[in-house]
Amino acid sequence: MGDAEIDIVPFIEAVKMNLSDIPNGTIIRTTNPNRHNCLAEESAIVWKDGKVVQDIIVRLRNVESGELELQLLWVDIPGAPGF
């Protein structure tokens, strides 16, 4: 089945920036493939429709071949502890 690791710290750091008045589609930060993650390609963290979003393609390990497409999206839950 395979496995993969991703570093969500850059995504969390972007969420903690408390962005609100930047244009839709603004790239907040990019994450590059390296030895410590399984990214297949560069991944941008973007301000989209009032939310922090990151589309990711990871290359699976411990399997003959395979890639997985993921989207991280921060959702604020009213009343829940936040950053």
Side-chain angles (χ1 to χ4, degrees), residues 30-43 57 59:
T30 57
T31 305
N32 294 305
N34 62 42
R35 293 181 355 176
H36 305 290
N37 65 41
C38 294
L39 294 178
E41 59 188 41
E42 181 179 87
S43 175
I57 300 174
R59 190 163 286 125

Side-chain angles (χ1 to χ4, degrees), residues 7-17 45 52 54 74 83:
D7 181 8
I8 65 167
V9 171
F11 181 80
I12 298 298
E13 288 172 350
V15 169
K16 289 181 178 180
M17 294 171 106
I45 301 170
V52 177
Q54 183 177 13
W74 187 263
F83 291 111

Side-chain angles (χ1 to χ4, degrees), residues 75-82:
V75 178
D76 283 322
I77 300 173

Side-chain angles (χ1 to χ4, degrees), residues 7-80:
D7 181 8
I8 65 167
V9 171
F11 181 80
I12 298 298
E13 288 172 350
V15 169
K16 289 181 178 180
M17 294 171 106
N18 292 318
L19 304 168
S20 61
D21 53 347
I22 62 173
N24 195 43
T26 299
I27 296 174
I28 302 166
R29 181 178 176 169
T30 57
T31 305
N32 294 305
N34 62 42
R35 293 181 355 176
H36 305 290
N37 65 41
C38 294
L39 294 178
E41 59 188 41
E42 181 179 87
S43 175
I45 301 170
V46 179
W47 182 254
K48 183 177 178 183
D49 300 325
K51 295 181 173 39
V52 177
V53 178
Q54 183 177 13
D55 292 320
I56 300 171
I57 300 174
V58 293
R59 190 163 286 125
L60 296 175
R61 300 182 300 193
N62 302 315
V63 67
E64 191 172 314
S65 65
E67 291 183 345
L68 185 64
E69 293 184 34
L70 306 167
Q71 183 180 70
L72 301 180
L73 169 69
W74 187 263
V75 178
D76 283 322
I77 300 173

